[in-house]
């Protein structure tokens, strides 16, 4: 299926940086699947079903985008879906080495699958999920970093009931 691309990650949680990549990828492909790693190497704040539910809230807002959870090798999942393209976002030079290793490992296992890198929007180039989790855990306002439905879930998780109002960065 040539018009299908898979955007894999941990999404713990989904940030506005991820959303930007997803929206731009949706302009290039007929269909995008946000593929959530069920058991990533890192410990997660949100369970896989929770991360999936947040991704599904985003899918409800963007046509042609779906969300799913995968376990095991990414290339096996991609083949099972009949896809050939992995989308990854690059934020800074520091991402390059890890992404390069991952893309080449995947290519060794599945030469028919191509990794496509998209430059993250400048305004989100500093952002990652760990920082968002830390800001939330310490009672900071995450409105500039995540969609509102993610902020709600973060606040529930971290036990924060009231948030200062924040100005959202526009896409
Ligand atoms: N905007 C904001 N943040 C972004 C971002 C963007 N556009 N792109 C990445 N990030 C952040 C993430 O939030 C995450 O932050 P964190 O580490 O602080 O939590 C970090 O960059 C990288 O995370 P992510 O993009 O989710 O990738 P990952 O490294 O967690 O996920 C998998 C990697 C799941 C795709 C990979 O491990 C995998 O394929 N696993 C399956 C097993 C497999 O096949 N292994 C062999 C291949 S190497």
């Amino acid at each position: 299926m040539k018009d299908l691309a898979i955007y894999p990650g941990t999404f713990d949680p989904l940030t506005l940086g991820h959303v930007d990549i997803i929206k731009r990828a949706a302009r290039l492909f007929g269909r995008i699947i946000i593929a959530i790693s069920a058991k990533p190497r890192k410990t997660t704040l949100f369970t896989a079903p929770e991360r999936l539910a947040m991704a599904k809230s985003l899918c409800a807002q963007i046509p042609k985008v779906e969300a799913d959870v995968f376990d095991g090798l990414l290339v096996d999942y991609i083949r099972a879906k009949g896809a050939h393209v992995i989308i990854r976002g690059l934020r800074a030079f520091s991402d390059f080495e890890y992404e390069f290793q991952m893309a080449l490992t995947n290519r060794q296992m599945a030469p028919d699958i191509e990794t496509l890198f998209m430059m993250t929007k400048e305004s989100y180039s500093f952002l990652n999920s760990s920082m968002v989790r830390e800001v939330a855990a310490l009672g900071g306002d995450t409105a500039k970093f995540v969609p509102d439905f993610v902020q709600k879930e973060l606040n529930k998780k971290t036990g924060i009931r009231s948030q200062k109002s924040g100005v959202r960065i526009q896409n």
Side-chain angles (χ1 to χ4, degrees):
M1 224 188 283
K2 287 230 157 56
D3 69 339
L4 168 64
I6 309 287
Y7 182 46
T10 308
F11 305 109
D12 184 44
L14 188 83
T15 68
L16 290 177
H18 295 127
V19 174
D20 167 60
I21 297 281
I22 293 163
K23 283 184 174 164
R24 284 162 45 216
R27 293 207 290 262
L28 302 175
F29 292 90
R31 205 176 139 216
I32 304 284
I33 300 179
I34 305 169
I36 298 163
S37 171
K39 294 183 200 122
R41 287 185 221 153
K42 43 200 175 189
T43 314
T44 59
L45 173 67
F46 291 100
T47 64
E50 286 169 340
R51 286 178 281 135
L52 177 64
M54 289 184 273
K56 284 195 166 165
S57 298
L58 178 70
C59 298
Q61 300 175 1
I62 314 174
K64 309 188 294 186
V65 180
E66 301 156 40
D68 195 9
V69 171
F70 78 99
D71 208 349
L73 281 178
L74 176 63
V75 290
D76 289 344
Y77 174 78
I78 290 180
R79 281 203 175 119
K81 288 287 169 188
H84 297 277
V85 178
I86 300 171
I87 304 275
R88 293 288 292 170
L90 273 183
R91 287 162 302 167
F93 195 65
S94 50
D95 279 346
F96 182 78
E97 195 170 345
Y98 171 64
E99 292 297 337
F100 188 68
Q101 283 174 343
M102 204 154 69
L104 293 188
T105 307
N106 285 332
R107 186 188 287 168
Q108 285 293 321
M109 292 186 287
D112 53 317
I113 295 173
E114 208 54 70
T115 303
L116 188 71
F117 292 103
M118 295 181 67
M119 302 306 286
T120 300
K121 195 174 178 181
E122 315 78 82
S123 43
Y124 301 132
S125 58
F126 64 93
L127 195 57
N128 66 34
S129 300
S130 318
M131 273 185 223
V132 168
R133 292 194 302 271
E134 186 172 323
V135 170
L138 297 173
D141 184 0
T142 54
K144 288 181 182 171
F145 311 137
V146 296
D148 50 3
F149 51 86
V150 170
Q151 191 186 25
K152 234 161 87 186
E153 297 309 313
L154 269 170
N155 292 350
K156 268 196 239 162
K157 268 280 180 212
T158 54
I160 296 161
R161 290 198 186 81
S162 65
Q163 285 277 330
K164 290 166 244 156
S165 62
V167 180
R168 202 164 278 249
I169 296 170
Q170 293 302 313
N171 290 327

